[in-house]
Amino acid sequence: MTLKRKIAINVSIAYSLLFGLASTFIYVSFSKFRKEEFKNRLEEKAFSTAKLLIEVKQVDKQILKLLDKNIIDKLYDEKILVFDGQYKLIYSSLDDSKIIWTKDDLIRLNNEKSYFKNINGRETLGAFFSFKQGDYYVLISAKDTYGYSKMEYLLYSLLITYFIGVLLVWVFIYFFIKKQLNPLDVFQQQITSISVNELNIHLEENNSNDEINLLTRAFNQMLTRLENAFTTQKEFTSNASHELYTPLTRISLQLENIIKSEQHSEKTLSYLTSINNDVHQLAELINSLLLLAKVNKEAIGKKFQQVRIDEIIFDSNELVKKIDPKFNLDFDIQIVEDIENPMEILGVKSLLKIVFTNLLKNACLYSPNNKAIVSLSQISNHQLIVSLKNEGKVLTLEEQKKIFEPFTRGKNSLQTKGSGLGLPIVKRILDYHNATISYQSIDETINLFEITFLI
């Protein structure tokens, strides 16, 4: 999951929880407010009824009942009961509603002075009042229809607001964070495209002090340090290789002259020949190091031109045959008829010749029959595949993982001279040609290299 999605989801979840808690708090608070408000209304109604009944002598019970029935602030499904100090019912309002009560309720009311309860949506208040005429108990019960309708309306309003608000916030936060972190996506795309040969490219900076610009600035500084380090390394490798290669060439020439010009015993001649071979191998190693240091994508990119892979393979085959005349190459071509410019790619012929010369030379050295089979397949205008197969000992899985690393050699090469730089050079050249190379062992005796060129 990307960082912007994580941030968007976490912020949206946090907002949803907070919004949900706030909505719940509002609903619960209003519910308590409704209850307290209705309780106060019941208490006021109970007090006014008891006062009229007891203190105003001119108002008898029948008139009070008529007043209670037609009063403007009458509650829905209201019922009022008034008891004297001996728990005797002295007044009951005119309606069909009932209040379920017992003497224990009045005794409880005498002790607690007031109580409030809700039974199936019908709320009942018990109140104790003390007048000059004596103590009185009032039970009043009603349904808060308007209060509950307001709560229902509030509940639906909060739910609709919550879901619509959460949906809008999730969408808004996602696009907002996407826009804010867009420079980070650009930064990631830019650094992904930078290779070891493009360290001189620096990312665009601005004058802001936000984290992304600070990261860009630090990355550019790192690129500068890496470029300096790589340049120093390449210069050292190139200079050292050049300085070592020259005296080795002189030594090899002198050895060859000594071998040709004088008569030597068989033992001495064997020593001189072995020394000369070692010098050639050392010179080849230095030449490979020099090539690794010189091969540069920017340098070779300017030399790209249309070349034919089959011609390069044939030229490489001729070079390998000069090293070992016994080498034999089987060549197979599979191309569909409607391909334009078959077997042609953009590349540098001299470097691609190094690629196939190294691969064919390996096939010659590591196969018991000095034979390689090359298959060239092109079934579209966009892809060209070259497969090179030879018999011989195969690499283990661990060796296959490191096959293209410098100075790495498999156990199958213990009896063969080499530097372990051939395949790394091959891979680097193919990387510069936007081509890929892979190795696999078909069975216990067949090695297969496959190169894919994207045209």
Side-chain angles (χ1 to χ4, degrees):
M1 185 181 293
T2 60
L3 178 62
K4 59 186 176 184
R5 287 187 179 178
K6 286 182 180 179
I7 295 175
I9 290 175
N10 290 332
V11 172
S12 299
I13 290 175
Y15 172 81
S16 301
L17 291 175
L18 291 175
F19 194 6
L21 291 173
S23 300
T24 304
F25 175 77
I26 292 172
Y27 183 77
V28 172
S29 299
F30 184 80
S31 177
K32 292 181 179 180
F33 171 76
R34 182 213 61 81
K35 180 179 178 180
E36 290 298 324
E37 183 188 37
F38 193 65
K39 180 180 177 183
N40 292 336
R41 291 179 64 189
L42 291 176
E43 191 171 359
E44 290 174 1
K45 188 65 179 291
F47 178 76
S48 61
T49 301
K51 192 170 183 179
L52 281 172
L53 178 65
I54 297 164
E55 294 187 348
V56 182
K57 296 181 180 180
Q58 292 83 358
V59 180
D60 61 15
K61 295 179 180 180
Q62 293 301 322
I63 295 175
L64 181 60
K65 289 180 180 180
L66 292 173
L67 288 173
D68 184 59
K69 183 177 181 181
N70 297 283
I71 196 168
I72 192 170
D73 62 342
K74 179 176 175 63
L75 302 173
Y76 180 75
D77 202 12
E78 178 187 301
K79 181 68 175 179
I80 301 176
L81 301 177
V82 181
F83 301 85
D84 60 12
Q86 285 73 41
Y87 310 126
K88 181 181 177 182
L89 180 65
I90 61 174
Y91 173 77
S92 177
S93 58
L94 285 173
D95 46 51
D96 296 330
S97 301
K98 294 182 180 180
I99 298 179
I100 300 175
W101 63 279
T102 62
K103 187 176 181 180
D104 292 335
D105 292 330
L106 300 179
I107 295 173
R108 172 189 172 190
L109 191 58
N110 184 45
N111 296 326
E112 298 179 3
K113 308 305 180 186
S114 177
Y115 72 81
F116 184 80
K117 59 183 179 180
N118 187 323
I119 301 175
N120 297 327
R122 187 177 183 84
E123 292 168 303
T124 302
L125 172 72
F128 170 80
F129 299 105
S130 180
F131 298 96
K132 293 179 181 180
Q133 293 82 357
D135 296 334
Y136 294 90
Y137 307 91
V138 179
L139 297 179
I140 180 170
S141 177
K143 291 183 179 180
D144 189 10
T145 306
Y146 297 109
Y148 279 112
S149 65
K150 291 177 182 178
M151 284 189 61
E152 185 178 7
Y153 178 78
L154 177 63
L155 176 62
Y156 289 138
S157 299
L158 288 174
L159 287 175
I160 293 172
T161 304
Y162 176 79
F163 288 114
I164 294 177
V166 166
L167 178 62
L168 292 176
V169 165
W170 277 68
V171 174
F172 172 77
I173 287 178
Y174 176 77
F175 286 104
F176 176 76
I177 292 178
K178 182 178 180 181
K179 181 179 180 181
Q180 293 299 314
L181 295 183
N182 185 61
L184 196 59
D185 292 338
V186 176
F187 177 79
Q188 184 267 335
Q189 293 172 0
Q190 290 176 334
I191 65 175
T192 303
S193 63
I194 296 176
S195 66
V196 68
N197 298 291
E198 297 173 337
L199 297 177
N200 59 333
I201 296 177
H202 283 59
L203 306 182
E204 184 178 352
E205 300 178 20
N206 53 48
N207 296 325
S208 66
N209 288 322
D210 58 46
E211 287 78 1
I212 296 177
N213 190 58
L214 293 176
L215 182 62
T216 303
R217 195 174 302 161
F219 187 80
N220 286 336
Q221 293 173 357
M222 182 191 69
L223 285 179
T224 301
R225 293 194 295 270
L226 287 175
E227 183 184 10
N228 293 335
F230 272 94
T231 302
T232 303
Q233 180 187 15
K234 285 184 178 182
E235 289 177 353
F236 172 79
T237 304
S238 179
N239 294 334
S241 299
H242 186 269
E243 293 299 325
L244 290 172
Y245 188 77
T246 301
L248 284 174
T249 303
R250 293 199 197 100
I251 293 172
S252 178
L253 288 174
Q254 292 173 1
L255 284 171
E256 290 177 359
N257 290 333
I258 292 174
I259 292 172
K260 292 178 181 179
S261 61
E262 300 183 14
Q263 297 293 328
H264 303 287
S265 64
E266 186 176 343
K267 187 175 182 179
T268 302
L269 186 61
S270 176
Y271 282 143
L272 291 173
T273 304
S274 177
I275 293 171
N276 192 32
N277 289 336
D278 290 338
V279 171
H280 275 293
Q281 183 179 350
L282 187 57
E284 184 179 351
L285 171 60
I286 294 172
N287 193 42
S288 297
L289 290 172
L290 187 61
L291 182 61
L292 275 175
K294 285 184 176 180
V295 172
N296 183 284
K297 187 173 184 179
E298 291 181 356
I300 68 174
K302 301 175 182 178
K303 301 179 181 179
F304 276 13
Q305 57 184 357
Q306 290 288 339
V307 294
R308 286 181 62 97
I309 289 296
D310 56 336
E311 294 178 357
I312 294 174
I313 294 175
F314 289 140
D315 292 342
S316 301
N317 180 47
E318 294 300 321
L319 292 175
V320 176
K321 276 186 173 292
K322 291 180 181 179
I323 300 173
D324 189 347
K326 296 180 182 179
F327 178 68
N328 185 24
L329 174 67
D330 286 349
F331 195 72
D332 179 48
I333 300 177
Q334 297 177 359
I335 300 178
V336 296
E337 295 181 356
D338 58 345
I339 297 294
E340 297 181 4
N341 302 320
M343 295 180 288
E344 285 192 2
I345 65 165
L346 275 175
V348 181
K349 187 174 183 178
S350 59
L351 293 178
L352 291 173
K353 191 181 294 186
I354 294 173
V355 169
F356 289 103
T357 300
N358 277 330
L359 292 175
L360 293 176
K361 188 165 63 173
N362 284 348
C364 176
L365 291 174
Y366 299 125
S367 61
N369 57 1
N370 300 107
K371 181 180 178 181
I373 301 174
V374 175
S375 299
L376 196 152
S377 174
Q378 187 175 9
I379 59 174
S380 71
N381 288 311
H382 308 292
Q383 193 177 71
L384 176 64
I385 299 175
V386 180
S387 301
L388 191 148
K389 186 174 10 176
N390 69 276
E391 296 182 5
K393 294 181 180 180
V394 299
L395 300 177
T396 64
L397 292 176
E398 287 298 320
E399 292 171 341
Q400 291 180 29
K401 295 177 182 177
K402 302 178 180 179
I403 187 173
F404 296 109
E405 295 180 6
F407 302 106
T408 299
R409 305 189 73 200
K411 294 180 180 179
N412 62 347
S413 61
L414 295 178
Q415 305 299 324
T416 306
K417 294 181 180 180
S419 62
L421 290 174
L423 289 178
I425 292 174
V426 166
K427 188 175 187 311
R428 179 172 293 187
I429 293 174
L430 290 175
D431 286 343
Y432 295 155
H433 285 79
N434 293 323
T436 59
I437 181 171
S438 62
Y439 167 86
Q440 60 177 315
S441 52
I442 298 179
D443 53 38
E444 295 181 354
T445 59
I446 302 296
N447 298 280
L448 174 65
F449 285 92
E450 188 173 271
I451 302 173
T452 303
F453 292 96
L454 298 178
I455 303 174

